[in-house]
Amino acid sequence: MSINSRIWLTALQKPVKMSEKKDWDDLDIIARWLIATRATVTQLTLMAGVIAGLLAFRDGYFDWILWLAMTLGIYFAHSAENLVNDYIDFTRGIDEDNYYRSQYGIHPLVHKFWTKQDWRRWFFTAGFIAVLCGLFVLFYTNFSPLVIGLFLFGIAILPTYAWPLKYWGLGEILIFINWGMILIPGIYCVLAGEIPANLPLIVMAGMAFGFGFGSFNWGKHIDKIEADKKKGVGSLPVRLGEPAARMVNILTVLLSYVLVIYLVFGARFFSPTVLLVFLAAGRGWNVIKLLSQPRPKAAPPGFALWPRWFSTPQLRHIRLFGGLYILGILLDIVLRISFPGFWQ
């Protein structure tokens, strides 16, 4: 086994495909972690932590230790949830017969790179770190009722998203709620030590990024509609049908930009620096054009990462949007420090 940082970068950018267990065993532990926990997606949760921290710092509420514990906690909780999702789908037979996930990337259980015992070690590692971070935050905040509520919410959704909520058409709604309305406002409020008067604006600032994450997940589930129908997975896109699901997805992509415009020009919560996100609008428009047409039945010639037709462009869009959002908020902070009262 040797360290290969190029694999790390690849795993952060796109799913990695591999067919031989020997190749998997030759990967270093960080590469295996990034691939198994789906680092292409968990990095978005780290972005959410950064956005929440910047918003709190801007408003005079910040504690490095508390912020770091919460950000690491949500990252490892998301990693654990992805491992749980894989395990539940594997044990329920969903991932058999060349199902969606195993076609475009590595599923360690399906590809027999892991035994169930291996999976348990990795899951308990991620879960232990997440719980440890949560307990630290509880003690650090003297058992704040807000922290207790968020902690219990996280424990409740970890095992229930993959089953039964995803089967009932509630999984996507949970993701929009969690990443759009809970993570960023929740971290902000804990850092503030209270529920602030401007909470609705903090929630909207969270939705501007978090709904992009939810939109990516929605696109993935549109890609899986036919496969999920065969497996009896009643996701919300399955229940709505592809045409309606595509229209909902277009609206969520647009909503991120509409919220930014309102927060800049309507509420004047952000200065115009945050309009940097519109540098991602080209990718967003390409996503909208793609969603305006039915998904092809088979991969067009030369198309990589099939069957990820909608989800891959949407992932690229939200990653760019998120990076620009963070940069815009940083510049907003610099402006507010340099020119007090600017854009207020």
Side-chain angles (χ1 to χ4, degrees):
M1 181 182 70
S2 59
I3 303 269
N4 187 339
S5 58
R6 285 184 297 179
I7 292 290
W8 301 355
L9 293 174
T10 301
L12 286 167
Q13 293 298 314
K14 63 182 181 180
V16 176
K17 295 191 73 170
M18 196 174 289
S19 57
E20 298 295 330
K21 186 177 186 301
K22 178 182 179 301
D23 296 331
W24 172 261
D25 291 339
D26 286 341
L27 293 175
D28 62 81
I29 192 168
I30 294 176
R32 278 182 275 171
W33 170 268
L34 294 174
I35 293 168
T37 60
R38 303 185 227 170
T40 53
V41 181
T42 54
Q43 64 184 274
L44 299 178
T45 293
L46 286 176
M47 282 186 174
V50 171
I51 291 166
L54 288 174
L55 292 175
F57 178 84
R58 189 189 74 159
D59 293 344
Y61 308 120
F62 197 72
D63 182 314
W64 276 104
I65 295 175
L66 185 57
W67 171 80
L68 186 61
M70 287 190 290
T71 300
L72 288 176
I74 61 174
Y75 169 75
F76 282 101
H78 188 182
S79 299
E81 194 280 327
N82 282 346
L83 292 170
V84 167
N85 196 2
D86 284 352
Y87 186 81
I88 289 175
D89 284 351
F90 174 73
T91 55
R92 291 178 61 84
I94 301 299
D95 286 322
E96 294 176 352
D97 305 322
N98 201 30
Y99 180 69
Y100 178 84
R101 167 83 188 284
S102 58
Q103 291 182 47
Y104 67 80
I106 295 170
H107 189 314
L109 288 167
V110 171
H111 292 113
K112 301 188 184 335
F113 294 166
W114 277 355
T115 63
K116 289 184 179 180
Q117 185 176 359
D118 293 327
W119 175 88
R120 291 188 190 99
R121 284 197 294 267
W122 285 73
F123 166 72
F124 284 118
T125 298
F128 175 77
I129 296 174
V131 170
L132 194 63
C133 289
L135 290 174
F136 175 84
V137 173
L138 278 172
F139 280 97
Y140 195 86
T141 59
N142 294 315
F143 288 83
S144 158
L146 178 62
V147 175
I148 292 172
L150 292 171
F151 193 67
L152 292 176
F153 176 77
I155 291 174
I157 68 173
L158 180 66
T160 56
Y161 165 74
W163 188 88
L165 296 180
K166 188 167 66 173
Y167 288 71
W168 295 346
L170 299 175
E172 295 84 6
I173 294 173
L174 177 64
I175 284 176
F176 278 116
I177 292 173
N178 186 44
W179 270 269
M181 303 176 181
I182 300 294
L183 277 187
I184 291 173
I187 292 174
Y188 179 98
C189 290
V190 173
L191 288 169
E194 61 182 5
I195 297 177
N198 67 343
L199 180 62
L201 295 176
I202 299 295
V203 171
M204 283 188 275
M207 289 168 60
F209 173 75
F211 270 33
F213 178 92
S215 178
F216 150 71
N217 176 266
W218 188 274
K220 182 177 70 172
H221 288 191
I222 297 175
D223 284 336
K224 296 199 302 176
I225 283 177
E226 294 306 318
D228 280 344
K229 281 181 181 178
K230 293 175 182 177
K231 296 287 185 173
V233 180
S235 68
L236 198 50
V238 167
R239 295 171 184 273
L240 292 176
E242 186 188 298
R246 286 190 285 107
M247 292 305 104
V248 170
N249 208 346
I250 288 172
L251 290 175
T252 58
V253 173
L254 291 172
L255 181 62
S256 294
Y257 292 95
V258 170
L259 284 168
V260 168
I261 291 172
Y262 172 75
L263 289 168
V264 171
F265 296 108
R268 300 181 84 85
F269 177 77
F270 285 134
S271 62
T273 59
V274 180
L275 296 175
L276 277 173
V277 297
F278 277 84
L279 292 176
R283 289 189 185 182
W285 180 243
N286 288 335
V287 165
I288 289 171
K289 288 193 295 184
L290 198 65
L291 287 165
S292 299
Q293 300 295 325
R295 182 178 182 272
K297 299 297 183 183
F303 183 81
L305 293 178
W306 184 261
R308 289 167 57 106
W309 179 253
F310 295 122
S311 56
T312 295
Q314 290 196 254
L315 178 59
R316 290 171 178 160
H317 169 246
I318 187 55
R319 278 201 305 238
L320 180 58
F321 183 101
L324 292 168
Y325 198 37
I326 288 170
L327 179 57
I329 297 172
L330 275 170
L331 293 174
D332 177 84
I333 291 170
V334 171
L335 276 178
R336 287 170 184 270
I337 293 173
S338 303
F339 305 98
F342 176 77
W343 205 258
Q344 291 181 5

